[in-house]
Amino acid sequence: DTGVSQDPRHKITKRGQNVTFRCDPISEHNRLYWYRQTLGQGPEFLTYFQNEAQLEKSRLLSDRFSAERPKGSFSTLEIQRTEQGDSAMYLCASSLEGRVQPQHFGDGTRLSIL
Amino acid sequence: GDSVTQMEGPVTLSEEAFLTINCTYTATGYPSLFWYVQYPGEGLQLLLKATKADDKGSNKGFEATYRKETTSFHLEKGSVQVSDSAVYFCALPQGGSEKLVFGKGTKLTVNP
């Protein structure tokens, strides 16, 4: 069990640029989640996948955000035309199927918009 | 909708002091309840969980009991260490979905 891996750990970019983050879940986990965490707050749900299917998206996920999990393994989260308000920690988690199954989190990607 | 209310921080304690961090919840039905811990610069780690009423979750000296009567899941530790300094989050799955809803977090600082 190598844990959930996220890349990059930090991303600094100028407003208006596109960014893409990658998440590699724990290998046997079929569920993958994305959350966003701003300073001093708890994580907020963005979206989740079961295998390759995106099953739920938050209203926080504007049309500038897109997430994929093409082969049911790793996932990418892309933000187009970044804005200052996108600065946050983006956390990925994975779990086995079932509501009592805990979600295991990666260390996150910290995005800073200049 | 389902929600979690956590005790406001920050909390500062001396080493070996007793810790309580309060968490109350509002939910339809009886969801699983979780405590996560976040060390500086890292993601969240599952600390403990309870899946039904009166269950006690425990790990690393921390405990929390799922209290249906008071809709609470307070985190306790009898003797904190400097290494316990972190932010603690209470969470539950929002009704009918897989997404976790988190409290705002309680920052704990333990001084030697």
Side-chain angles (χ1 to χ4, degrees):
Chain A
D1 179 359
T2 55
V4 177
S5 176
Q6 291 189 247
D7 184 68
R9 289 293 309 276
H10 304 276
K11 179 70 177 178
I12 301 173
T13 192
K14 294 181 179 179
R15 185 167 54 91
Q17 297 296 303
N18 298 345
V19 294
T20 300
F21 311 140
R22 178 181 170 120
C23 172
D24 288 89
I26 293 171
S27 57
E28 62 267 30
H29 287 182
N30 61 345
R31 288 193 170 161
L32 187 148
Y33 310 79
W34 286 99
Y35 291 83
R36 181 170 66 188
Q37 185 180 22
T38 53
L39 201 61
Q41 301 295 316
E44 294 176 299
F45 171 82
L46 293 178
T47 188
Y48 97 94
F49 294 82
Q50 180 158 313
N51 301 313
E52 65 276 9
Q54 189 173 18
L55 295 187
E56 189 172 350
K57 291 167 58 173
S58 164
R59 283 175 232 162
L60 291 175
L61 214 63
S62 77
D63 56 6
R64 296 184 299 105
F65 287 70
S66 62
E68 294 182 341
R69 194 183 183 197
K71 296 182 180 178
S73 55
F74 74 91
S75 175
T76 57
L77 178 68
E78 181 183 16
I79 309 174
Q80 295 182 328
R81 305 180 303 281
T82 52
E83 301 174 356
Q84 289 283 352
D86 297 333
S87 294
M89 175 79 88
Y90 290 84
L91 294 167
C92 177
S94 70
S95 76
L96 294 169
E97 193 169 338
R99 295 186 68 219
V100 299
Q101 297 296 333
Q103 295 178 19
H104 299 264
F105 284 79
D107 284 341
T109 294
R110 180 167 295 285
L111 174 64
S112 299
I113 307 297
L114 301 177
Chain B
D2 296 357
S3 64
V4 169
T5 302
Q6 227 179 295
M7 155 182 179
E8 296 274 337
V11 174
T12 302
L13 296 173
S14 297
E15 207 164 21
E16 299 183 1
F18 183 85
L19 169 71
T20 300
I21 300 177
N22 290 341
C23 170
T24 57
Y25 65 90
T26 303
T28 50
Y30 304 105
S32 296
L33 300 173
F34 303 92
W35 276 101
Y36 281 85
V37 59
Q38 187 173 34
Y39 298 100
E42 297 183 12
L44 280 70
Q45 298 177 23
L46 177 67
L47 182 58
L48 55 82
K49 70 173 185 178
T51 58
K52 60 183 187 298
D54 300 324
D55 261 5
K56 178 185 282 188
S58 62
N59 186 27
K60 300 181 181 179
F62 290 89
E63 293 182 341
T65 301
Y66 191 157
R67 301 280 189 205
K68 184 176 63 174
E69 316 78 34
T70 53
T71 62
S72 65
F73 192 54
H74 304 322
L75 183 68
E76 297 182 334
K77 186 174 186 181
S79 176
V80 293
Q81 305 300 311
V82 172
S83 57
D84 294 327
S85 298
V87 182
Y88 293 82
F89 293 94
C90 187
L92 57 78
Q94 192 157 35
S97 79
E98 303 305 318
K99 60 188 177 187
L100 289 177
V101 174
F102 289 85
K104 291 187 175 182
T106 303
K107 183 176 182 179
L108 170 66
T109 301
V110 180
N111 294 318

